[in-house]
Amino acid sequence: MSTTIALLLVHLHLLLCGHGAAAVAATATPPPLPILPVPSYAQLQWQLSEMALFIHFGPNTFTDSEWGSGHADPAVFAPSALDAGQWARVAAEGGFGRVVLTAKHHDGFCLWPSALTDYSVAASPWRGGAGDVVGELSAAARAEGIGLGLYLSPWDRHEPVYGDTVAYNEHYMGQMTELLTRYGDVEEVWLDGAKGDDMYMDYMFDAWFALIHQLQRRVVIFSDAGPDTRWVGDEAGIAGRTCWSPFNKTVVTIGHIIPDVLILRDVY
């Protein structure tokens, strides 16, 4: 091999090594620090799912009322052809990432056989008292590959201990425990600050939140003021032209929303 050719090969080798080193250096550049706050895994999955189908079904469906009194006979809950599989199929075919079911609304009627009340599907004629709407929808959602969310109303117009702060908070957390330990993964829990005007009631939200996150690691808690997700704007779906996800929770409390905060201002 001539000296000229050998020198050319050495030069080419050095060029390739230099190019490789530059490529390694470029790929080894660390990413910039994130701009806080960074969403949790559950919050990111909630954003990516884009749409959820909310199902409000219960005695109100049969009494044609929005807020039940808590005194309707459980026998009014008697669907003749309930098919939770059809609900889940419609949701999946419509592109919804999850379904959210009202497991208990303000009337206190539970769509699962709760051991903590006599006011549930177990007291109705549906499925001979052996039915479980939450259980059927949970299985159907899992079969369709979509997530499950549940709403458990803090206000309970049937429960006798409602108004006794300690007793009712224990009751509520007991029912939440039933829901979050019997039906597999629950991706979203809805609650609010609804309460009656005729008695004082203090909801121990921090204890509720801690319990929910303890029982379901990938859950997001949705309310008008968080702590994980919230309305985009207000309950009517009206939002400001700019609506930021980061939210200053010190200026609002659940059930006592300042419209100017959620709609008209950018909140950090």
Side-chain angles (χ1 to χ4, degrees):
M1 181 183 295
S2 68
T3 302
T4 301
I5 294 175
L7 289 172
L8 286 173
L9 289 174
V10 169
H11 182 63
L12 177 62
H13 175 72
L14 291 174
L15 284 175
L16 291 174
C17 288
H19 177 74
V24 170
T27 57
T29 302
L33 291 173
I35 299 175
L36 300 176
V38 176
S40 67
Y41 173 85
Q43 287 173 321
L44 185 59
Q45 292 301 113
W46 184 86
Q47 293 280 1
L48 293 174
S49 69
E50 294 192 352
M51 297 193 303
L53 181 65
F54 198 103
I55 303 173
H56 185 168
F57 181 69
N60 294 355
T61 307
F62 303 93
T63 60
D64 193 26
S65 57
E66 182 178 358
W67 287 5
S69 67
H71 302 296
D73 189 328
V76 303
F77 185 81
S80 59
L82 191 152
D83 184 357
Q86 188 260 352
W87 298 352
R89 284 193 301 275
V90 167
E93 291 169 2
F96 292 91
R98 68 190 65 183
V99 288
V100 181
L101 174 69
T102 301
K104 182 186 79 171
H105 202 243
H106 307 330
D107 59 2
F109 186 86
C110 299
L111 293 185
W112 78 101
S114 173
L116 299 174
T117 182
D118 59 359
Y119 201 53
S120 77
V121 287
S124 79
W126 177 65
R127 302 271 196 264
D132 185 342
V133 181
V134 177
E136 291 189 18
L137 183 58
S138 172
R142 192 159 42 247
E144 293 295 334
I146 59 177
L148 175 69
L150 298 170
Y151 169 82
L152 183 66
S153 170
W155 187 19
D156 191 322
R157 304 182 75 178
H158 179 83
E159 177 52 44
V161 300
Y162 186 87
D164 181 327
T165 293
V166 173
Y168 182 71
N169 275 274
E170 290 177 345
H171 174 85
Y172 184 87
M173 293 174 71
Q175 290 194 325
M176 184 68 75
T177 299
E178 289 181 336
L179 289 173
L180 300 186
T181 57
R182 292 183 182 180
Y183 302 105
D185 290 339
V186 176
E187 296 185 356
E188 189 166 351
V189 168
W190 272 54
L191 51 84
D192 51 36
K195 60 181 63 176
D197 297 327
D198 56 344
M199 64 180 67
Y200 175 79
M201 186 67 221
D202 184 22
Y203 299 145
M204 298 178 178
F205 287 116
D206 288 342
W208 298 2
F209 298 158
L211 175 72
I212 293 166
H213 283 300
Q214 174 189 348
L215 297 177
Q216 292 280 343
R217 293 191 305 161
R218 295 186 175 183
V219 73
V220 292
I221 303 171
F222 183 106
S223 82
D224 46 3
D228 299 322
T229 59
R230 60 178 174 86
W231 298 332
V232 177
D234 63 12
E235 193 171 14
I238 299 173
R241 185 163 184 167
T242 300
C243 186
W244 296 94
S245 291
F247 184 65
N248 182 0
K249 293 184 288 186
T250 64
V251 298
V252 296
T253 56
I254 297 175
H256 297 85
I257 294 304
I258 305 170
D260 184 49
V261 171
L262 292 182
I263 299 174
L264 301 178
R265 292 195 323 204
D266 297 341
V267 181
Y268 295 91

